[in-house]
Amino acid sequence: MSENNASVKKILLVEDDRQLSDLVTDFLTSEGFHVKQEFRGDTVAKRVKLFNPDLIVLDIMLPGKDGFAVCKELRPEFNGPVLMLTAKSTDFDQVLGLEIGADDYVIKPVEPRVLLARINALLRRGQLPNQSDEKGEITCGSLYINKASRKVTLKEEIIDLTSQEFDLLWLLASKAGEVQNRDYIYKAVIGREYDGLDRSVDVRISRLRKKLLDSTETPFRIKTIWGQGYLFVPDAWE
């Protein structure tokens, strides 16, 4: 498969279990992706610069540097989706991964079709800015959001957001003053149905509040409307 084909999405698979890595690589390659493998955490940053992947599948337990540390290291430079693999089903691993900038997680052992569905959902989210939209900019007081460039500034300071953090902010801001329920947010931003237990949107809301100087105890910019969803307050950005 040609690496020069712009339509072919590039995936960096970081997994130290070589047998599993080979199996996943063969499956994703058969689905039309160009996949590179990495087996150590402390070499991922260099590989990302050389390969420039569209998405990273990142295991947590790695030699050299664990997946949490790798994700935290990558985030200042890599804005594409990061899908973490974890052998643990505890909320601790899942939430910690999301807090440091991962976009989604899959618990091992994972069915190949489930992994494929998660990857495709994340890549679809990254394509949103290319869709036509009459309203490509949003300004609320000192907050400025540009959909095409995925640029966000607050009081003229650039705010660094992950891909799904930006998509979540855009969704809320483009419907300012309207409560957005969880079901709609999960379908639009995460790319799947809300199962009643997934906390990924809650974590991203918390991260957005911190980055946008909202109160974490008594939010006034992105409010939680209990039993309904979240509300972006348009006049709270002066």
Side-chain angles (χ1 to χ4, degrees), residues 91 94-95 98 103-105 118 182 186 190 192-204:
D91 280 346
Q94 299 164 14
V95 173
L98 295 170
D103 293 285
D104 203 353
Y105 58 86
R118 295 292 182 88
R182 288 174 181 272
Y186 271 85
I190 308 300
R192 61 176 184 268
E193 301 282 343
Y194 177 53
D195 62 7
L197 299 174
D198 194 330
R199 299 175 59 192
S200 55
V201 165
D202 299 328
V203 174
R204 290 187 181 90

Side-chain angles (χ1 to χ4, degrees), residues 19 40 59 67 91 143 145 158 168 214 232:
Q19 183 177 9
R40 294 182 58 87
D59 191 21
D91 280 346
L143 178 70
I145 310 171
I158 294 177
L168 177 56
D214 198 358
F232 181 96

Side-chain angles (χ1 to χ4, degrees), residues 107-124:
I107 300 170
K108 297 193 295 185
V110 60
E111 291 293 330
R113 291 290 170 184
V114 173
L115 179 61
L116 178 64
R118 295 292 182 88
I119 288 173
N120 284 332
L122 289 173
L123 291 174
R124 282 196 298 270

Side-chain angles (χ1 to χ4, degrees), residues 163-225:
S163 177
Q164 284 197 359
E165 287 170 356
F166 180 90
D167 291 338
L168 177 56
L169 177 61
W170 179 266
L171 182 150
L172 295 173
S174 63
K175 298 180 183 295
E178 302 175 15
V179 178
Q180 303 304 309
N181 66 51
R182 288 174 181 272
D183 291 337
Y184 175 71
I185 292 174
Y186 271 85
K187 289 178 184 177
V189 177
I190 308 300
R192 61 176 184 268
E193 301 282 343
Y194 177 53
D195 62 7
L197 299 174
D198 194 330
R199 299 175 59 192
S200 55
V201 165
D202 299 328
V203 174
R204 290 187 181 90
I205 289 288
S206 177
R207 284 175 57 82
L208 277 178
R209 285 170 175 160
K210 291 177 182 178
K211 292 183 177 183
L212 298 173
L213 307 181
D214 198 358
S215 170
T216 55
E217 295 182 359
T218 56
F220 61 96
R221 289 177 163 171
I222 302 177
K223 292 185 176 181
T224 300
I225 308 300

Side-chain angles (χ1 to χ4, degrees), residues 1 9 14 18 29 34 49 51 65 85 90 96 99-100 108 121 127 139-140 157 197 217 223 232:
M1 185 177 297
K9 295 299 183 181
V14 188
R18 291 178 182 257
T29 300
H34 178 59
K49 291 181 180 179
F51 184 46
K65 184 178 291 185
L85 299 178
T90 61
L96 178 58
E99 286 180 342
I100 61 175
K108 297 193 295 185
Q127 293 170 356
T139 301
C140 291
E157 295 288 332
L197 299 174
E217 295 182 359
K223 292 185 176 181
F232 181 96

